[in-house]
């Protein structure tokens, strides 16, 4: 069985897309993640790896990825444009470009992260609930959702990501292998 080719993808998670550069498009994040992928990596696998590496699984979700796609190669200069990746089919474009443009050794993505919305926090129920007031057993009171009820907001805090090398293995930043 032949070994499947794996390669590094830089995933920017802070910053933005800068379109006014000499190379066309550039991502402004200075500390991208290093993720190792294969040509069989799915979109969901990539999303999971990014969120796990950031320690944001359950607190954030990836709205979309922007791919810094090579569009022209002239001598030693590569011009880039921006391509949105939203699913497995879009992700295959990146794999195809990698094979067609060997000059671009490390593909770059920008992950647009958004907060995860709790399933219990956003519903607007319009139901009436029967309750017996304290000290009364005769007549139930009706509580309506049209009366504002103030419940404490639960803040989800992502655990900090530690930049400590616990194993003493310097340079092994790319630790997520996806299939």
């Amino acid at each position: 069985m032949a070994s499947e080719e794996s390669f590094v993808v830089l995933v920017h998670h802070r910053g933005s897309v800068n379109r006014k550069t000499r190379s066309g498009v550039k991502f402004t994040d200075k500390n991208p993640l290093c993720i190792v992928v294969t040509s069989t990596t799915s979109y969901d696998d990539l999303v999971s790896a990014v969120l796990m590496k950031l320690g944001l699984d359950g607190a954030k979700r990836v709205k979309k990825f922007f791919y810094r796609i090579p569009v022209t190669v002239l001598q030693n200069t590569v011009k880039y444009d921006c391509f949105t990746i939203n699913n497995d089919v879009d992700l295959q474009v990146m794999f195809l470009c990698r094979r067609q443009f060997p000059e671009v050794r490390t593909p770059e993505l920008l992950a647009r992260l958004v907060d995860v919305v709790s399933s219990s926090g956003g519903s607007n129920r319009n139901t009436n609930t029967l309750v017996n007031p304290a000290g009364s057993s005769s007549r139930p009171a009706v509580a309506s959702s049209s009366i504002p009820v103030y419940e404490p907001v639960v803040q989800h805090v992502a655990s900090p990501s530690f930049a400590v090398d616990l194993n003493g293995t310097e340079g092994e930043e790319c630790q997520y292998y996806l299939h």
Side-chain angles (χ1 to χ4, degrees):
M1 180 162 47
S3 172
E4 188 174 18
E5 180 190 9
S6 60
F7 57 94
V8 173
V9 175
L10 293 180
V11 180
H12 303 267
H13 54 94
R14 292 182 218 128
S16 60
V17 177
N18 185 355
R19 294 185 183 272
K20 297 179 180 180
T21 67
R22 191 175 55 150
S23 62
V25 170
K26 186 173 181 171
F27 299 141
T28 61
D29 185 8
K30 300 296 183 201
N31 293 318
L33 300 175
C34 182
I35 305 288
V36 177
V37 298
T38 66
S39 60
T40 59
T41 299
S42 72
Y43 179 82
D44 290 337
D45 291 340
L46 181 60
V47 167
S48 294
V50 168
L51 294 175
M52 283 177 42
K53 193 153 187 183
L54 288 172
L56 297 174
D57 196 23
K60 297 270 187 184
R61 68 178 177 84
V62 175
K63 183 175 181 181
K64 64 178 109 177
F65 286 108
F66 296 100
Y67 171 45
R68 189 173 174 231
I69 188 171
V71 288
T72 58
V73 177
L74 300 172
Q75 295 174 349
N76 293 333
T77 305
V78 180
K79 294 282 186 181
Y80 296 92
D81 203 347
C82 202
F83 178 76
T84 304
I85 297 177
N86 290 310
N87 53 44
D88 288 335
V89 175
D90 294 342
L91 189 58
Q92 289 301 315
V93 171
M94 182 181 74
F95 299 137
L96 182 62
C97 285
R98 172 138 165 74
R99 287 189 294 271
Q100 289 183 344
F101 293 97
E103 299 84 0
V104 181
R105 291 188 174 94
T106 308
E108 293 183 60
L109 300 174
L110 174 68
R112 184 67 65 213
L113 303 176
V114 295
D115 291 331
V116 172
V117 177
S118 168
S119 62
S120 64
S123 64
N124 185 9
R125 289 179 238 130
N126 195 12
T127 59
N128 292 333
T129 309
L130 296 177
V131 245
N132 284 333
S136 170
S137 60
S138 59
R139 207 173 121 204
V142 176
S144 171
S145 64
S146 62
I147 300 171
V149 176
Y150 296 100
E151 296 179 3
V153 176
V154 177
Q155 294 287 338
H156 295 281
V157 178
S159 61
S161 86
F162 297 96
V164 176
D165 186 10
L166 299 175
N167 298 323
T169 53
E170 238 176 83
E172 291 190 63
E173 296 168 345
C174 301
Q175 58 187 345
Y176 290 94
Y177 288 87
L178 304 175
H179 301 285

